[in-house]
Amino acid sequence: MPDIAAVHDYLRDLQDRICAAIEAADGEGRFVQDQWQRAEGGGGRSRVMKQGRVFEQAGIGFSDVCGATLPPSASAHRPALAGAPWRAMGVSLVFHPRNPYLPTTHMNVRYFEARPAGRDPVWWFGGGFDLTPFYPFDEDVRHWHETARRVCEPFGGEARYRAHKDWCDRYFFLKHRGEARGVGGLFYDDLDEGGFEACFGYTRAVGDGFLDAYLPLVARRQDTPYGERERQFQLYRRGRYVEFNLVWDRGTLFGLQSGGRTESILMSLPPLVRFEYGYQPEPGSPEARLADYLIPRDWLAELA
């Protein structure tokens, strides 16, 4: 049987550990916590750092919520569970750095359980992490994907990395723009193959691997000099993040459909952003270079 208490305890501890590490990396900013309860059942802890030295805004939330009817966004791939009582818990984060040379990043790990009438509970895990640079560096992209591959090594090795890397490329893709949200990473959902312990072990590896993937980039890029041109391009590209989260993201849709806490659901959005009609970067410019990184690629082969 699934050890739900162990999942709950791990996720709360993961939130604590990531907050402590990001506060240490920032040096000035501190997370402020909102603890909240959901009328239909459960609650969570939303933590946001505003106007830190490194992070303009960093949000990380833990939630453990339940309901009487599984929302359509969660049952789309499991129609037999439509309308079943459910429980969901997870940790989700999005960090928006101040420096345009330090990428925005997202990580999420989650557990779902549905209890259809007359059947045993049906459970699954999901999660992953991905990277959204504005001014990409090959060594950063290589490190990010090397860390992702190491995470996968005990759980199917190269095959697991390739499968979840490709899933990430497909999922974090702005279909209306014909471009990826960033340079990818790992993404998976509906994971129950191999039993609870194996799936929980992999989910822990993804959650624990996030800081190994991201903190070295913080150290490398947080003090890179930049000017107003880079800042304005960062704000423009943040608009793509808004577009994806509001148009395509299943997690946002699930939160809103399930009557979740709106502030917590939308804390992934950047604090400042700009939209510009018909923007075209100057050919050959550093801004134009980004387009080459928004096409799903075999990064480890190309950057070896």
Side-chain angles (χ1 to χ4, degrees):
M1 289 294 292
D3 188 346
I4 298 177
V7 178
H8 180 277
D9 291 347
Y10 167 75
L11 292 171
R12 286 175 61 95
D13 178 67
L14 179 65
Q15 185 191 35
D16 290 341
R17 287 187 286 117
I18 292 176
C19 286
I22 294 300
E23 287 184 347
D26 188 274
E28 295 179 5
R30 295 293 179 266
F31 285 95
V32 176
Q33 175 171 291
D34 284 331
Q35 189 144 351
W36 50 272
Q37 297 295 316
R38 184 171 175 275
E40 195 173 354
R45 308 185 303 191
S46 297
R47 295 177 179 172
V48 175
M49 175 192 294
K50 296 182 179 181
Q51 301 303 324
R53 183 183 66 87
V54 175
F55 295 98
E56 189 171 4
Q57 183 166 298
I60 176 169
F62 161 80
S63 62
D64 181 358
V65 296
C66 55
T69 303
L70 197 66
S73 59
S75 59
H77 299 289
R78 296 171 177 263
L81 301 179
W86 57 275
R87 182 176 179 180
M89 61 182 80
V91 165
S92 183
L93 65 82
V94 176
F95 297 160
H96 293 288
R98 187 180 299 279
N99 193 312
Y101 289 99
L102 176 56
T104 288
T105 190
H106 158 262
M107 188 277 290
N108 171 263
V109 284
R110 57 193 179 274
Y111 171 82
F112 271 83
E113 186 174 284
R115 302 183 180 90
R119 294 173 53 190
D120 291 336
V122 178
W123 58 267
W124 65 95
F125 286 91
F129 50 66
D130 65 284
L131 192 70
T132 304
F134 309 107
Y135 292 92
F137 293 86
D138 286 356
E139 64 178 312
D140 294 353
V141 178
R142 183 173 60 247
H143 166 77
W144 185 261
H145 280 275
E146 285 175 345
T147 306
R149 184 166 60 182
R150 284 197 301 271
V151 163
C152 296
E153 282 177 359
F155 306 96
E158 188 72 13
R160 170 62 61 87
Y161 166 70
R162 291 295 170 187
H164 290 181
K165 185 265 185 195
D166 291 347
W167 200 342
C168 186
D169 289 340
R170 294 192 305 272
Y171 182 79
F172 291 107
F173 194 83
L174 287 81
K175 300 178 182 67
H176 62 290
R177 295 283 189 180
E179 65 183 36
R181 188 169 81 172
V183 296
L186 300 173
F187 180 84
Y188 64 100
D189 203 359
D190 303 307
L191 183 68
D192 59 8
E193 183 180 359
F196 175 84
E197 288 300 330
C199 296
F200 185 26
Y202 177 60
T203 299
R204 291 197 305 269
V206 171
D208 295 343
F210 168 75
L211 289 175
D212 295 333
Y214 193 58
L215 287 181
L217 309 189
V218 176
R220 288 175 190 166
R221 309 301 170 199
Q222 60 179 310
D223 295 321
T224 301
Y226 69 92
E228 186 62 18
R229 171 176 172 162
E230 291 86 356
R231 174 62 168 169
Q232 289 302 310
F233 185 65
Q234 177 195 46
L235 296 183
Y236 170 73
R237 289 300 310 180
R238 280 178 176 178
R240 296 292 204 271
Y241 217 88
V242 173
E243 290 179 23
F244 180 86
N245 280 22
L246 296 184
V247 175
W248 298 109
D249 187 63
R250 285 172 55 191
T252 301
L253 188 59
F254 171 82
L256 297 175
Q257 288 180 346
S258 63
R261 184 173 184 262
T262 302
E263 287 297 304
S264 298
I265 297 164
L266 298 181
M267 74 177 181
S268 63
L269 301 181
L272 292 174
V273 63
R274 75 181 185 91
F275 291 88
E276 179 178 336
Y277 178 81
Y279 170 82
Q280 293 292 331
E282 180 182 345
S285 67
E287 292 77 21
R289 179 173 172 267
L290 176 62
D292 291 337
Y293 289 78
L294 302 181
I295 303 169
R297 291 158 55 178
D298 187 346
W299 296 108
L300 293 182
E302 293 189 29
L303 302 178

